[in-house]
């Protein structure tokens, strides 16, 4: 009898251990960010509350009641810390202070509180590769070679051949000490020396400060550009262009990411997405793991230069094969032309079909502000209309090469990132309802018809289709956690079925000729029609 009782007890304990293990595995797999549709807000351009022409926290707080019914569960804020804005905030001068353009710390705290009350998480852009040359650290660093902050940055007697991402050399001579400092980006954005433990400690303190303030995570800017191993050999050249094998993806970058991840993991339920400067899946995948980044931006998918249904499908397949965790799904950002122009030739139907793909495929979707109303690119008609430092730098380089001002403008516009940074178009009122005064950048002239107020009452507008798609994703766990039963492509048609806990949802997106789909007898149509027009979709449960 004792033997039987002992065996029963052992069996019972084993069952507890097994069941506990399953529960822990399920809990570990379920993350709020896998269930969220993110919305990127480009800080200067979203909503201006005080009429200075720049977006701000008070303006964004007023628009939370637009984002909540849209179905947004996560917001990515571009940089809002003190900055001279050479690169619109990606040149931080003080990591602990809100830039007065965007308001006060109290304004930020209220925005965060109101977002959280609406069930919306907030992640902030964090730039750890470089600081503004206005930063106190750099101002101290340049004073003398033995200054305590000198090794916060990278100084050399002679430069090597490394280039700036914006064009030209990555080195600038400073007259105070007669040495060169390294700047991967603009000359007013000096690279931090991640080989210095003091820099690492400073970064950890910064991260903890904003996590203590309540942010839900970070988007890490150009995080694989960190200079962790110092200045090494010249980059080789191929066909007249530099091959960046020494100044990007240095060996110590992954260790730096582990430190960042472990610091963020001191806080419960936080999220890190990294911008990796590459569109190659073999580069991207190596930075996504439990001890590195939760997800990376999949530029192999998101930065496709022109529309190709086959290419989009191939990248979906590649991400499914290669990514250890969820991929990210996006077609727009502040660094790329607007999705509707780049991939849809201005066609709202194709833009909507692409949105359906982004919001139903496996991954974490990121909507760039204004995509949901079909905002278009702006184009600078003169240098005065060009704000972006990258575009202006390329314009000047073209002039230096002997091009005419007209040709230089064309060249500058090719690299100009202003295209997708124009103010959010809220209404047909003056200044598109963005501000009471002239905005910091030109407003697209189409704002009279392409705006939230005009599209809201239109039943089948792109805005209302986005709302339905997001609501569907928010309500169907198969669209949040489902694995692919199949992922297929045929004649410009992408289709897949996702399954989770017995539920199956099938999505068919047709970019080709019109056709009729034969549905299973038990199919329940969730969106769309089996009469598939070109650039349309159907989503059904079976």
């Amino acid at each position: 009898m004792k033997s039987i009782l002992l065996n029963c007890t052992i069996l019972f304990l084993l069952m507890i251990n097994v069941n506990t293990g399953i529960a822990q595995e399920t809990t570990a797999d379920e993350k709020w960010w896998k269930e969220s549709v993110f919305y990127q807000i480009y800080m200067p351009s979203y909503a201006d509350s005080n009429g200075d022409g720049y977006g701000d926290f008070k303006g964004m707080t007023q628009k939370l009641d637009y984002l909540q019914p849209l179905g947004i569960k996560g917001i990515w804020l571009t940089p809002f810390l003190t900055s001279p804005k050479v690169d619109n905030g990606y040149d931080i001068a003080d990591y602990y202070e809100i830039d007065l353009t965007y308001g006060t710390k109290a304004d930020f705290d209220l925005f965060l509180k109101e977002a959280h009350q609406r069930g919306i998480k907030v992640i902030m852009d964090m730039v750890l590769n470089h600081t503004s040359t206005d930063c106190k650290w750099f101002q101290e660093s340049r004073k003398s070679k033995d200054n305590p902050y000198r090794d916060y940055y990278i100084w050399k007697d002679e430069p090597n051949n490394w280039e700036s991402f914006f064009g030209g050399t990555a080195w600038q001579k400073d007259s105070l000490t007669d040495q060169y400092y390294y700047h991967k980006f603009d000359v007013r954005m000096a690279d931090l020396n991640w080989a210095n433990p003091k820099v690492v400690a400073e970064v950890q303190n910064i991260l903890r400060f904003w996590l203590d303030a309540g942010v839900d995570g970070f988007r890490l800017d150009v995080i694989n550009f960190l200079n962790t191993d110092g200045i090494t050999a010249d980059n080789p050249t191929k066909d007249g262009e530099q091959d960046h094998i020494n100044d990007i993806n240095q060996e110590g970058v992954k260790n730096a990411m582990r430190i960042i991840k472990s610091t963020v993991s001191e806080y419960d339920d936080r999220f890190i997405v990294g911008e990796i400067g590459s569109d190659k899946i073999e580069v991207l995948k190596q930075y996504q793991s439990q001890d590195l980044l939760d997800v990376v931006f999949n530029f192999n998918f998101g930065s496709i230069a022109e529309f190709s249904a086959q290419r989009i499908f191939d990248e979906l397949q590649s991400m499914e094969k290669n990514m250890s965790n969820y991929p990210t799904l996006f077609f727009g950002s502040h660094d790329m032309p607007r999705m509707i122009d780049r991939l849809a030739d201005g066609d709202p139907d194709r833009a909507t079909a692409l949105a359906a793909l982004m919001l139903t495929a496996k991954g974490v979707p990121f909507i760039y502000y204004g995509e949901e109303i079909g905002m278009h690119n702006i184009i600078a008609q003169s240098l005065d209309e060009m704000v972006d430092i990258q575009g202006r730098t390329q314009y000047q380089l073209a002039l230096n090469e002997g091009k005419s001002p007209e040709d230089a403008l064309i060249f500058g516009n090719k690299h100009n990132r202003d295209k997708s940074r124009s103010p959010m178009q809220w209404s047909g009122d003056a200044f598109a309802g963005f501000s009471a005064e002239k905005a910091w950048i030109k407003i697209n002239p189409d704002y009279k018809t392409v705006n939230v107020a005009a599209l809201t009452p239109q039943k089948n507008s792109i805005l209302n289709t986005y709302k339905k798609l997001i609501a569907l994703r928010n309500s169907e766990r198969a669209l949040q956690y489902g694995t692919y039963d199949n992922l297929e492509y045929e004649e410009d048609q992408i289709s897949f079925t996702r399954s989770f806990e017995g539920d199956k949802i099938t999505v068919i997106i047709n970019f080709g000729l019109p056709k009729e789909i034969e549905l299973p007898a038990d199919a329940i149509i969730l969106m769309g029609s089996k009469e598939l027009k070109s650039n349309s979709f159907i989503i059904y449960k079976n």
Side-chain angles (χ1 to χ4, degrees), residues 252-268:
V253 165
K254 288 182 181 178
N255 190 54
M257 288 183 187
R258 290 185 184 98
I259 294 170
I260 292 170
K261 180 64 181 288
S262 66
T263 304
V264 173
S265 296
E266 295 169 7
Y267 298 75
D268 292 336

Side-chain angles (χ1 to χ4, degrees), residues 39-41 46 66-67 70 338 340 367-376 420 422-426 450 452 455 462-463 466:
Y39 188 89
Q40 181 192 351
I41 292 180
Y46 201 62
Y66 164 76
L67 293 173
L70 183 59
R338 286 280 179 184
I340 196 171
I367 297 169
Y368 184 55
Y369 84 97
E371 276 181 6
E372 76 276 17
I373 61 170
M375 281 180 63
H376 293 271
S420 60
S422 58
M424 179 67 175
Q425 295 165 201
W426 294 103
V450 180
V452 172
L455 294 174
I462 187 171
L463 174 59
Y466 261 86

Side-chain angles (χ1 to χ4, degrees), residues 28 63 67 78 96 105 112 114 142 167 170 175 215 226 244 287 290 460 474 489 495-496 522 527 539-540:
K63 299 302 183 182
L67 293 173
T78 58
Y96 297 96
K105 180 62 162 52
L112 195 60
E114 293 290 331
R142 68 186 292 260
S175 59
V215 300
L226 299 185
H244 296 277
Y287 292 111
Q290 190 169 355
N460 295 317
N474 287 344
Y489 178 82
S495 63
F496 49 85
D522 59 345
M527 279 190 74
I539 306 170
Y540 64 88

Side-chain angles (χ1 to χ4, degrees), residues 72-129:
I72 298 303
K73 296 292 183 66
I75 292 174
W76 156 24
L77 296 178
T78 58
F80 53 80
L81 303 178
T82 300
S83 167
K85 300 183 192 63
V86 169
D87 193 19
N88 269 336
Y90 285 92
D91 48 321
I92 296 173
D94 191 326
Y95 284 93
Y96 297 96
E97 295 291 336
I98 304 285
D99 194 289
L100 293 178
T101 301
Y102 305 124
T104 65
K105 180 62 162 52
D107 295 335
F108 165 80
D109 290 340
L110 179 62
F111 168 78
L112 195 60
K113 176 184 175 183
E114 293 290 331
H116 285 165
Q117 286 181 349
R118 289 166 175 79
I120 300 174
K121 306 277 191 179
V122 177
I123 66 172
M124 66 182 287
D125 231 317
M126 187 56 70
V127 186
L128 303 175
N129 181 73

Side-chain angles (χ1 to χ4, degrees), residues 193-380:
N193 176 17
W194 272 77
N196 183 351
K198 291 181 180 179
V199 169
V200 177
E202 292 273 15
V203 167
Q204 289 180 290
N205 289 336
I206 291 163
L207 296 174
R208 291 178 182 124
F209 177 86
W210 290 105
L211 290 165
D212 286 337
V215 300
D216 299 289
F218 300 98
R219 179 264 189 189
L220 301 177
D221 185 62
V222 292
I223 196 63
N224 64 317
F225 283 45
L226 299 185
N227 194 291
T228 56
D229 300 2
I231 304 302
T232 58
D234 283 356
N235 285 323
T237 57
K238 290 183 180 179
D239 300 324
E241 293 191 1
Q242 205 167 108
D243 186 12
H244 296 277
I245 64 171
N246 295 318
D247 57 342
I248 303 174
N249 299 311
Q250 292 189 341
E251 289 186 11
V253 165
K254 288 182 181 178
N255 190 54
M257 288 183 187
R258 290 185 184 98
I259 294 170
I260 292 170
K261 180 64 181 288
S262 66
T263 304
V264 173
S265 296
E266 295 169 7
Y267 298 75
D268 292 336
D269 222 15
R270 300 305 204 269
F271 174 54
I272 301 177
V273 53
E275 180 195 27
I276 303 299
S278 176
D279 61 359
K280 295 178 174 59
I281 193 76
E282 56 269 20
V283 174
L284 296 168
K285 69 178 184 179
Q286 64 180 290
Y287 292 111
Q288 182 173 303
S289 69
Q290 190 169 355
D291 64 336
L292 296 175
L293 305 173
D294 291 318
V295 297
V296 300
F297 281 121
N298 284 94
F299 289 107
N300 62 301
F301 177 82
S303 65
I304 294 171
E306 57 187 21
F307 178 77
S308 165
Q310 178 73 65
R311 171 74 189 281
I312 290 170
F313 172 77
D314 289 345
E315 296 301 344
L316 284 174
Q317 272 198 324
S318 178
M319 292 189 294
E320 175 64 8
K321 177 182 177 182
N322 288 289
M323 303 305 289
S324 60
N325 205 329
Y326 275 27
T328 53
L329 302 164
F330 64 97
F331 289 116
S333 80
H334 62 287
D335 286 330
M336 296 188 288
R338 286 280 179 184
M339 179 261 274
I340 196 171
D341 293 322
R342 191 177 93 252
L343 298 178
D345 294 327
D347 181 359
D349 288 338
R350 186 187 289 175
T352 303
L354 288 166
L357 177 67
M358 177 177 69
L359 291 164
T360 58
K362 179 183 174 183
V364 182
F366 284 79
I367 297 169
Y368 184 55
Y369 84 97
E371 276 181 6
E372 76 276 17
I373 61 170
M375 281 180 63
H376 293 271
N377 291 333
I378 58 168
I379 304 296

Side-chain angles (χ1 to χ4, degrees), residues 337-536:
R338 286 280 179 184
M339 179 261 274
I340 196 171
D341 293 322
R342 191 177 93 252
L343 298 178
D345 294 327
D347 181 359
D349 288 338
R350 186 187 289 175
T352 303
L354 288 166
L357 177 67
M358 177 177 69
L359 291 164
T360 58
K362 179 183 174 183
V364 182
F366 284 79
I367 297 169
Y368 184 55
Y369 84 97
E371 276 181 6
E372 76 276 17
I373 61 170
M375 281 180 63
H376 293 271
N377 291 333
I378 58 168
I379 304 296
Q381 303 300 322
S382 67
L383 182 62
D384 289 341
E385 286 189 352
M386 192 180 295
V387 182
D388 177 33
I389 184 62
Q390 180 170 295
R392 294 180 71 90
T393 298
Q394 292 294 329
Y395 173 91
Q396 188 59 51
L397 289 172
L399 287 182
N400 295 345
E401 292 173 0
K403 287 185 169 63
S404 69
E406 293 77 16
D407 287 341
L409 183 63
I410 293 171
F411 191 72
N413 266 323
K414 182 179 178 181
H415 298 272
N416 184 13
R417 296 170 299 173
D418 290 340
K419 297 182 187 74
S420 60
R421 298 178 178 184
S422 58
M424 179 67 175
Q425 295 165 201
W426 294 103
S427 71
D429 296 337
F431 310 111
F434 162 75
S435 176
E437 300 292 340
K438 183 179 179 181
W440 70 279
I441 193 172
K442 72 183 290 185
I443 293 173
N444 197 310
D446 69 5
Y447 77 90
K448 290 284 187 181
T449 54
V450 180
N451 64 69
V452 172
L455 294 174
T456 297
Q458 298 177 26
K459 182 179 179 181
N460 295 317
S461 68
I462 187 171
L463 174 59
N464 285 319
T465 304
Y466 261 86
K467 285 183 180 179
K468 292 172 187 174
L469 284 165
I470 297 171
L472 187 61
R473 189 184 188 280
N474 287 344
S475 63
E476 297 288 348
R477 285 170 66 79
L479 295 179
Q480 297 166 1
Y481 291 106
T483 56
Y484 286 127
D485 284 358
N486 58 50
L487 178 57
E488 299 175 349
Y489 178 82
E490 184 179 2
E491 296 180 343
D492 290 322
Q493 176 181 291
I494 297 172
S495 63
F496 49 85
T497 298
R498 297 185 64 192
S499 298
F500 183 73
E501 294 182 343
D503 279 344
K504 290 182 180 289
I505 292 180
T506 297
V507 180
I508 303 173
I509 301 169
N510 179 38
F511 294 110
L513 296 173
K515 61 190 73 174
E516 181 175 349
I517 301 298
E518 185 175 340
L519 299 180
D522 59 345
I524 301 171
I525 296 177
L526 302 175
M527 279 190 74
S529 166
K530 65 179 182 178
E531 303 287 342
L532 278 180
K533 300 176 183 177
S534 180
N535 295 316
S536 70

